[in-house]
Amino acid sequence: DGGITQSPKYLFRKEGQNVTLSCEQNLNHDAMYWYRQDPGQGLRLIYYSQIVNDFQKGDIAEGYSVSREKKESFPLTVTSAQKNPTAFYLCASSIKAGNTEAFFGQGTRLTVV
Amino acid sequence: AQSVTQLDSHVSVSEGTPVLLRCNYSSSYSPSLFWYVQHPNKGLQLLLKYTSAATLVKGINGFEAEFKKSETSFHLTKPSAHMSDAAEYFCVVSDLQGAQKLVFGQGTRLTINP
């Protein structure tokens, strides 16, 4: 089945550690996105990629990094520089950036203790 | 720059009564507009989308939305609420000529009373 897969579903890390969230899609989509969701704040864009080997900062990129070495993969690293990393992280993809519907993964809930 | 305002953070209706979730948008160009639904601890699912075709858009699960350019609105409606409709709903805008990224509203939590 085609879809977008995020792993793991739940992740616990100690403060000061970097952690990488996985996102894989087999939809042959060019564009991929990472969003952060906090209660009462909707979804905020962290990074997005319109094509392989290219990505742009979103609205809240500080403390995060990404790579797009393969079309199907867009991992997100939450670094120790991110001041408040505990959140629900959602990955999405679309055929092309912007004006087409996005397909979402099931999310990763990151808790930093 | 485009933006989205969902006018209600929480809507509560009784089962079997109509649902209205309000959304206003701001866009420099011709927008694409979407409604997504999110059940607890899940990803988002597309309900419906407007991309400059018919102004009344029908989606899944009996939902529909009407694009009104003069009012810059894209309200989501359903004639009769079902318990399974309880979820968070997001209105989303994207410019066809702009920054090519989706902008989300703050979300509206829909509660269905038995």
Side-chain angles (χ1 to χ4, degrees):
Chain A
D1 289 334
I4 181 164
T5 302
Q6 290 185 242
S7 62
K9 189 174 177 64
Y10 298 96
L11 191 55
F12 295 87
R13 278 296 181 268
K14 291 184 178 180
E15 194 170 337
Q17 289 182 335
N18 292 356
V19 60
T20 297
L21 281 60
S22 171
C23 179
E24 303 278 332
Q25 54 99 358
N26 60 3
L27 300 167
N28 200 33
H29 286 173
D30 284 330
M32 296 187 74
Y33 314 81
W34 274 105
Y35 292 90
R36 171 181 171 137
Q37 186 175 25
D38 297 282
Q41 295 195 47
L43 274 70
R44 293 182 290 170
L45 183 64
I46 304 172
Y47 269 98
Y48 65 108
S49 168
Q50 298 186 21
I51 199 167
V52 177
N53 293 321
D54 181 64
F55 50 83
Q56 289 82 39
K57 292 182 178 180
D59 301 316
I60 56 164
E62 185 176 351
Y64 300 97
S65 65
V66 293
S67 62
R68 187 84 189 277
E69 297 175 359
K70 298 186 296 183
K71 187 175 186 177
E72 59 269 23
S73 179
F74 191 43
L76 172 74
T77 297
V78 184
T79 75
S80 56
Q82 168 50 233
K83 291 182 172 56
N84 186 19
T86 294
F88 190 53
Y89 291 87
L90 285 160
C91 180
S93 70
S94 61
I95 294 173
K96 60 179 181 178
N99 67 336
T100 57
E101 66 183 271
F103 293 78
F104 283 81
Q106 293 299 294
T108 293
R109 184 164 296 282
L110 174 64
T111 302
V112 176
V113 296
Chain B
Q2 66 269 50
S3 66
V4 176
T5 301
Q6 291 184 242
L7 298 170
D8 306 291
S9 60
H10 185 211
V11 170
S12 181
V13 302
S14 297
E15 190 175 19
T17 65
V19 174
L20 170 63
L21 305 183
R22 299 182 294 165
C23 172
N24 286 352
Y25 71 91
S26 172
S27 177
S28 303
Y29 303 101
S30 300
S32 289
L33 293 158
F34 310 82
W35 275 98
Y36 284 84
V37 60
Q38 184 184 31
H39 290 90
N41 294 311
K42 299 290 187 183
L44 277 69
Q45 180 185 17
L46 181 70
L47 275 178
L48 49 80
K49 61 182 177 182
Y50 167 78
T51 55
S52 75
T55 56
L56 183 62
V57 182
K58 293 188 184 299
I60 62 172
N61 301 334
F63 284 94
E64 62 181 38
E66 186 171 8
F67 173 70
K68 292 187 176 181
K69 187 175 181 178
S70 61
E71 299 176 11
T72 61
S73 69
F74 190 57
H75 301 335
L76 181 71
T77 61
K78 182 173 181 177
S80 176
H82 191 272
M83 294 300 291
S84 61
D85 295 328
E88 187 97 15
Y89 291 80
F90 293 95
C91 183
V92 182
V93 66
S94 173
D95 281 335
L96 292 175
Q97 301 180 50
Q100 297 292 301
K101 62 179 183 179
L102 301 177
V103 176
F104 284 75
Q106 299 299 308
T108 298
R109 180 166 300 279
L110 177 63
T111 300
I112 311 296
N113 303 310

